[in-house]
Amino acid sequence: MPGTPPARRTVLRAAALAPAVGLGLTACSSGDGGSNRSAPTAPVDLGKSDDVKVGASKLYTDQNVVVSRISDDEYTAYSTICTHARCPINKLEGRKLICQCHGSQFDATNGKVLKEPAVKPLPELPVKVENGKIIAGPDHRP
């Protein structure tokens, strides 16, 4: 009937479900506190090139970039925005990037997916060393 207040049982049931719904939403959120969810759109200075040793990778969480040093003068760089749900990746174990949102894993040296749910590789970024500093990201100079 319109205008009839809901039964006590209905109100209690709704109150009991509210925390569960909140947990479900939290589980599918990024958990990153609203962090930057984009890769560089212009070149960014990542610091000294010697900070990345040959055969190693380094995660730059503030810039959403991972850089790997393949040889003395060869570097690769990839966006660390997960291709599954656009969460910023903030964990690197050796050469393995791990997304905290849903567990996707990527190879830091080539961007390839190591573990789903992501199915698309990480996008590669241009990277170079200038004056002893690593510069990564698209160059928009005319």
Side-chain angles (χ1 to χ4, degrees), residues 39-47 60 63 65 125 128 133-138:
T41 56
V44 291
D45 181 339
L46 299 174
Y60 298 87
Q63 294 83 9
V65 174
L125 298 171
K128 60 189 170 188
K133 294 189 179 256
I134 299 171
I135 311 293

Side-chain angles (χ1 to χ4, degrees), residues 98-110:
I98 303 167
C99 180
Q100 74 281 1
C101 290
H102 302 104
S104 295
Q105 296 180 8
F106 301 88
D107 185 316
T109 64
N110 59 27

Side-chain angles (χ1 to χ4, degrees), residues 56-125:
S57 300
K58 182 172 180 182
L59 179 60
Y60 298 87
T61 55
D62 290 345
Q63 294 83 9
N64 295 323
V65 174
V66 64
V67 173
S68 298
R69 189 168 183 180
I70 309 306
S71 65
D72 282 338
D73 58 354
E74 183 183 359
Y75 295 78
T76 60
Y78 291 88
S79 164
T80 56
I81 300 298
C82 183
T83 58
H84 171 248
R86 306 234 6 106
C87 294
I89 298 169
N90 62 15
K91 187 172 186 181
L92 175 65
E93 291 180 354
R95 292 181 159 188
K96 182 171 45 176
L97 291 161
I98 303 167
C99 180
Q100 74 281 1
C101 290
H102 302 104
S104 295
Q105 296 180 8
F106 301 88
D107 185 316
T109 64
N110 59 27
K112 291 183 181 177
V113 175
L114 299 175
K115 182 180 174 197
E116 295 183 356
V119 294
K120 289 175 46 179
L122 296 172
E124 187 168 7
L125 298 171

Side-chain angles (χ1 to χ4, degrees), residues 9 14 29 31 33-34 49 51 57 75 103 113 129:
R9 180 176 294 165
S29 72
S49 60
D51 287 348
S57 300
Y75 295 78
V113 175
V129 174

